[in-house]
Each structure stands twice: as structure tokens, then as C-alpha cells.
């Protein structure tokens, strides 16, 4: 559906990132969501602030379609992981999934990113992760997609259909329930912050605003929510 939220102001983003990092090396920051993060005018400054603040790992997820997807810029940005929603293994299926005929463009951009990264001791300086969502439309392309990209860059992800997705009655592949232990771990370790500052638990419960209170306070609310969930 349509989602309209304000662009997160750079100053606010910097405060959130600094609050989140707090000098801890075991943190992971993922930039993604409704609206490609590369559309933010100061996304690379925000990435640099996260790196300078001591965030352990910085991950960005993009559809690879925007003008800001410049391989050289991404390679020098300080990112650890770039996920790209390639969505398919052929142009016709990509057009069905994305609504635009730009498969070859996205594929070539990802390939340029792979070719430009440095590799030391067999490990890449930047992990490039092509992604596909398992659904009826791409069912026959999952295997060639996965094995092809695994050979090209040593990584690929098959995402499940998001919980709550509205599907036609004829759909054979549907969202699967997350196992209880995996859900508990996600709730314990994950905090989602929208561009309007509202923080949510991993299962979508609103916990407060990181623009109105320190993140530590939001985490305490999250811990209380987890305890109530466990008791239920």
C-alpha cells in the first residue's frame, strides 16, 4: 500500500546513530525499509557517522535502481554489506516483480560492485548480497538465481514472503510462521526505527520515539514488552 513518511533529517539521523552506537562493537546497523535508503541526500554522511561512532557492522539494502547506486561510491563508503533486491533471474520475471523493465541494468550494477571490491585472504572487503523473495512468480528461478549468484559473489539470500502480505487465493507459497526460538531472539536483539523516529519491536509493536527519548529508554520498553510476551 501507500506509505507517506517524512524524510529523516540528517541531524536527527546522526543523533540516532550516535545513540545507537555508544561505542559498542557488537552492534549492526541496517539501512532499509519503505523507500530506498540511497534516496536520502546525506546517506553516505550517515554511514560515515555510524562507522566513526563505532557501529560494529553497517548494512544497506537497496533495489539498485536509483542514481545514487554508484559502485565506486558504495565501495568507498565504509559499508560492510550491500544487499540488492535483484528479485529474479530473468528480465521477464523481474518486470513482473518490480513493475519496470530494468533487470539487465540492476544485474550489471551488482556485477560492477562485485568486480570492484577488494579481496584479502579470500574474504571480500564488501559483502554483496543479491536477494530474491520466494513466491509463486519466481518459483522456477530460485535455484538458478541462488547458485548463479553464489558462484559470482559467494552469497545470496532467499527471503520468505513477509508476514501479513496480502496474497491471491490461488497463491501456493504463503508466509511461514517464525519458530518460537527465532522470534524470541529477534525480539531480544532487534529494534526497528522508522524515518519518523518511531521505534518498533521486531514484530511491529510501537515502543516510543527515539527523537523524544534516549534509545536506552526505548530498549527498556522493549525489554518490558518481551517480558510480557514471554509471560503470555
Amino acid at each position: 500500500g501507500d506509505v507517506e513518511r517524512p524524510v529523516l533529517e540528517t541531524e536527527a539521523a546522526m543523533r540516532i546513530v550516535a545513540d545507537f552506537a555508544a561505542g559498542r562493537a557488537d552492534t549492526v546497523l541496517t539501512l532499509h525499509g519503505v523507500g530506498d535508503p540511497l534516496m536520502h541526500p546525506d546517506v553516505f554522511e550517515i554511514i560515515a557517522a555510524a562507522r566513526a561512532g563505532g557501529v560494529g557492522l553497517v548494512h544497506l539494502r537497496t533495489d539498485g535502481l536509483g542514481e545514487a547506486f554508484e559502485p565506486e561510491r558504495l565501495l568507498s563508503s565504509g559499508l560492510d554489506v550491500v544487499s540488492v533486491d535483484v528479485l529474479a533471474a530473468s528480465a521477464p520475471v523481474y518486470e513482473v516483480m518490480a513493475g519496470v523493465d530494468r533487470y539487465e541494468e540492476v544485474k550489471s550494477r551488482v556485477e560492477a560492485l562485485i568486480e570492484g571490491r577488494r579481496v584479502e585472504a579470500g574474504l571480500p572487503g564488501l559483502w554483496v548480497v543479491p536477494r530474491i523473495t520466494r513466491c509463486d512468480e519466481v518459483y522456477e528461478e530460485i535455484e538458478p538465481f541462488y547458485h548463479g549468484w553464489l558462484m559470482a559473489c559467494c552469497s545470496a539470500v532467499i527471503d520468505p514472503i513477509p508476514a501479513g502480505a496480502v496474497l491471491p487465493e490461488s497463491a501456493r507459497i504463503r508466509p511461514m510462521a517464525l519458530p518460537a526460538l527465532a522470534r524470541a531472539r529477534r525480539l531480544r536483539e532487534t529494534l526497528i526505527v522508522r524515518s519518523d523516529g518511531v521505534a518498533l519491536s521486531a514484530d511491529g509493536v510501537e515502543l516510543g520515539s527515539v527523537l523524544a527519548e534516549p534509545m536506552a529508554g526505548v530498549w527498556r520498553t522493549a525489554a518490558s514488552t518481551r517480558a510480557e510476551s514471554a509471560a503470555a
Side-chain angles (χ1 to χ4, degrees):
D2 295 329
V3 176
E4 292 292 338
R5 295 194 188 106
V7 174
L8 182 62
E9 293 184 4
T10 302
E11 182 180 348
M14 296 295 194
R15 291 201 310 271
I16 293 169
V17 166
D19 196 13
F20 170 67
R24 294 185 51 155
D26 62 347
T27 50
V28 177
L29 174 67
T30 292
L31 303 172
H32 78 130
V34 178
D36 194 307
L38 287 177
M39 294 173 67
H40 193 287
D42 296 317
V43 63
F44 292 109
E45 285 76 6
I46 295 168
I47 293 168
R51 179 59 68 216
V55 172
L57 186 146
V58 185
H59 166 219
L60 181 142
R61 183 168 178 173
T62 173
D63 60 21
L65 293 172
E67 293 181 3
F69 191 101
E70 300 175 5
E72 290 185 4
R73 186 71 180 89
L74 289 166
L75 288 164
S76 63
S77 66
L79 285 166
D80 297 285
V81 184
V82 175
S83 286
V84 185
D85 287 303
V86 180
L87 300 179
S90 67
V93 175
Y94 179 88
E95 187 170 2
V96 169
M97 296 298 294
V100 292
D101 181 16
R102 296 179 64 183
Y103 172 74
E104 294 299 336
E105 180 182 353
V106 172
K107 182 171 177 285
S108 65
R109 286 180 167 190
V110 175
E111 290 170 342
L113 199 57
I114 294 167
E115 292 171 4
R117 64 184 182 175
R118 59 181 173 78
V119 178
E120 296 180 1
L123 294 175
L126 174 71
W127 284 93
V128 180
V129 185
R131 307 180 78 110
I132 189 171
T133 299
R134 184 175 179 271
C135 60
D136 286 10
E137 291 82 356
V138 303
Y139 183 77
E140 294 182 357
E141 301 211 337
I142 290 176
E143 185 173 350
F145 178 96
Y146 186 78
H147 291 294
W149 285 113
L150 207 59
M151 291 292 291
C153 60
C154 301
S155 58
V157 168
I158 303 170
D159 288 306
I161 296 175
V166 179
L167 302 173
E169 291 289 334
S170 59
R172 298 166 296 171
I173 300 174
R174 296 186 173 275
M176 296 180 66
L178 194 65
L181 288 177
R183 179 176 180 272
R185 178 178 179 180
R186 187 172 294 182
L187 286 171
R188 184 173 66 249
E189 298 180 351
T190 303
L191 184 71
I192 300 167
V193 179
R194 297 192 318 220
S195 64
D196 58 6
V198 173
L200 306 98
S201 67
D203 56 357
V205 176
E206 290 195 14
L207 303 171
S209 172
V210 295
L211 299 180
E213 62 176 311
M215 191 168 289
V218 176
W219 272 114
R220 284 193 290 272
T221 302
S224 174
T225 301
R226 291 196 301 271
E228 292 175 1
S229 178

